[in-house]
Structures are given as C-alpha cells and as structure tokens.
Amino acid sequence: MTIAPDTETAWTAFEARDRAWDGRFVVGVKTTGIYCKPSCPARHPKRENVTFHPDPPSARAAGFRACLRCTPDEVGRDRTAIAAAVVLLEAAEDRLSLDEVAAKVGYAPHHFHRLFKRATGVTPAAYARALRTGRAANALSEDTTVTEAIYDAGYSAPSRFYEADAKRLGMAPSAWARGGEGVTIRWTTADTSLGALFVAATEKGLCRVSFDEDADELHRRFPNATIEPGDEALADLAAQVVAAVESPDRDQDLPLDVRGTAFQEAIWQALRTIPIGETRTYSELAALAGRPAAVRAAGTACGQNPVSIVIPCHRAQRIGGALGGYAYGLDRKRALLAAEAPRADQRADLQE
C-alpha cells in the first residue's frame, strides 16, 4: 500500500494541481462525497472540507466515490502502463514503433504518446534513442571497432546511428571510444560568491560546471582529449554561468554537451523544468522520469549531474523539506535556494 504524504504537503500539491503527485494520494471532498486526484481541474473546496487518502480503495472505504471529471482510478493504470513501456523499450533488441508500444500496454498511440511524455519529460521515441545512444557509448569504450559498437547497441546499420544519434555523444563516436582523442575541451575558472567555479566546454557546449574542481577531472573523464585553458568565447560562456549563480532571477538558456543514461537524462530534463524559486522532491523527479519507485536512483542521478547550476540539481530535496545531499556542500545548496526564493514570491504576488 502507498503512504499518503503529510497533510501540509498534500494540500500544497492539491492547490497547485501538481501532476507529479497523481497516483500517490487522492483527495476526498466532504461536501460532494467524491475523491479526486491532486491535479483535478475542478474548483477547489475549502481546506476544512477535504481529507487525504493514500489510494482510491482507502477513499472508497471512507465512503467517497470517484470523480467523473479527473477519473482518479485511471492514474494507477497509466503509471503501470508507462512502467511496462519502459521495460519494453529497455529490453527491445529492435526498434519499436509508437503503435507497437502503445498496443502492448493497451492504449491508443496518440493518447499513450501524451501520457508518456507528461510522465517522463520525453517522447517514447526520444527515450528509445537515449537508450541506444547510452548502449553505443558503453560499447564504444569496450569494442575494438566503431562498427561493432554500433551494431551491439541495436542499430540496424551504421548510417542509422550517424543520422539520428551520433550528435548525442557530444563528440565523434570514434573519439569517444578513444577517451576523447581528437576532441578539444577548454576550461576556465571564475569567482562567484559561493567560491571558485570550474567551467569546461567543447565546441558544442558546456560539459562540466562544478565547484572545488580543476582540469584533473577532465583528464580523468577524457584521458586522450586535448585539454587546454579557455579562450575568449569560453570566458563569455563562463560569465553567463556566473550570472546564473549571482542573478538567479534570470532564466538562462546555455548550450550543453552532456550525456548520461536514459534515466539520468530524464532526471536532468525534469530538473530543468523546475521554475526558479521552486523545488521538487526526489520522489517527484522519479515519477517525472517514469520510474516512481526509483527514488534513490533519482537522487544518484542528481549527484551525477555534470553541469551544476545549469542543470539545477540544488532544487531537488527530500519529502518534508529536508535538503538531502549536494555534491558541493549543503551550505551552497542553501545559498542557491535562498537566492532564488524572491522569484517564487514574485510569482505568488502576480497570482494574487
């Protein structure tokens, strides 16, 4: 049985119509005798007229009936279907079409496409591409030839890899196999109120943003790459990253050259959707990535984020408001969140 969150958290999620909480509790409305999912679009009742229940059976046992507008009983089915689709995509040796995946989990293609993207942040096709790219990257570090690695990753031909997914590796696949050989990565450091910031980038975008590091980290990750101090272009890019630290009220859209597993990338994408001044729990991030039970893995993915600040892993926390961990120290995490808080207050004022 699932466990409902504390009433304060549940009410906040219900007020915000937060879809990330759908399937994790339902709301009983005393005045109407119905129960709803947290994101129900109907007008909200007064707080004293609601009760929170961990799941639909609990609400029905308390005398409530399902809302016909938000159909809360369907949420569990949706999550089960998405989890099943993820298993299918990860196990598939050949490419599966949207129609095939949707049929196997019992949904119409267009409806399932919408459900999957809403839950994971990416389409089924994008999720499958990320899986293949991850396999290719792993194979490239082990196989003797690029062609072998591409076939081992599940591509029908090398051309399919180069047409669709090679750019996701951030460098040529042969360079990846040789530890970054032939790739130039430039780095610099910049002073911020939180300490020295290390910034590194390829020609395509940022590949490392961190505190308390130096070029040794790049040599470890890409032992055969050309690693050298940055130029004027990198200085401009670094200045924008510093601005994201010092002036978090401004949205930044910076080029990235990072990759991870499909799950990591889904978590990182979910982190980038969090509005400035807000936070999400690791449970919410796991749900957005299509793996509601993978809470610990979501925390690990946050810790493995290669470009802090730009992918704002400091906005992840535990249920109940505990900060959780942060690779560069909790004092920095508190400072980043405190600097962003006014942005949330401004939004609240505009909504009143």
Side-chain angles (χ1 to χ4, degrees), residues 177-203:
R178 297 192 301 267
E181 184 177 344
V183 174
T184 298
I185 302 176
R186 295 182 172 86
W187 64 271
T188 188
T189 58
D191 291 330
T192 75
S193 59
L194 300 181
L197 190 68
F198 181 75
V199 179
T202 66
E203 292 182 355

Side-chain angles (χ1 to χ4, degrees), residues 155-272:
Y155 294 88
S156 58
S159 60
R160 298 297 299 169
F161 172 76
Y162 286 99
E163 289 170 3
D165 298 327
K167 62 182 181 295
R168 291 175 51 81
L169 292 177
M171 60 181 70
S174 57
W176 183 274
R178 297 192 301 267
E181 184 177 344
V183 174
T184 298
I185 302 176
R186 295 182 172 86
W187 64 271
T188 188
T189 58
D191 291 330
T192 75
S193 59
L194 300 181
L197 190 68
F198 181 75
V199 179
T202 66
E203 292 182 355
K204 294 186 177 182
L206 295 163
C207 63
R208 189 74 183 170
V209 175
S210 58
F211 293 99
D212 306 327
E213 286 185 352
D214 55 29
D216 287 346
E217 178 63 21
L218 296 180
H219 286 290
R220 185 185 70 80
R221 290 171 176 263
F222 303 103
N224 297 321
T226 299
I227 296 172
E228 57 188 38
D231 52 13
E232 185 175 342
L234 182 60
D236 290 340
L237 192 57
Q240 296 179 63
V241 180
V242 171
V245 176
E246 308 296 356
S247 303
D249 57 315
R250 293 190 297 167
D251 292 304
Q252 303 288 342
D253 184 17
L254 300 174
L256 297 181
D257 189 359
V258 298
R259 61 158 299 280
T261 66
F263 180 76
Q264 286 173 330
E265 291 189 8
I267 292 293
W268 298 341
Q269 181 162 344
L271 286 166
R272 298 192 81 186

Side-chain angles (χ1 to χ4, degrees), residues 245-334:
V245 176
E246 308 296 356
S247 303
D249 57 315
R250 293 190 297 167
D251 292 304
Q252 303 288 342
D253 184 17
L254 300 174
L256 297 181
D257 189 359
V258 298
R259 61 158 299 280
T261 66
F263 180 76
Q264 286 173 330
E265 291 189 8
I267 292 293
W268 298 341
Q269 181 162 344
L271 286 166
R272 298 192 81 186
T273 66
I274 304 174
I276 295 173
E278 296 184 17
T279 60
R280 296 291 184 270
T281 66
Y282 297 115
S283 297
E284 290 172 305
L285 292 171
L288 289 170
R291 299 283 194 83
V295 178
R296 181 171 296 183
T300 299
C302 290
Q304 294 171 337
N305 169 24
V307 284
S308 65
I309 310 300
V310 185
I311 295 177
C313 53
H314 60 277
R315 296 177 192 160
Q317 63 181 21
R318 295 174 180 164
I319 291 177
L323 288 182
Y326 190 58
Y328 309 109
L330 290 181
D331 286 343
R332 284 190 175 117
K333 186 170 187 175
R334 292 188 186 95

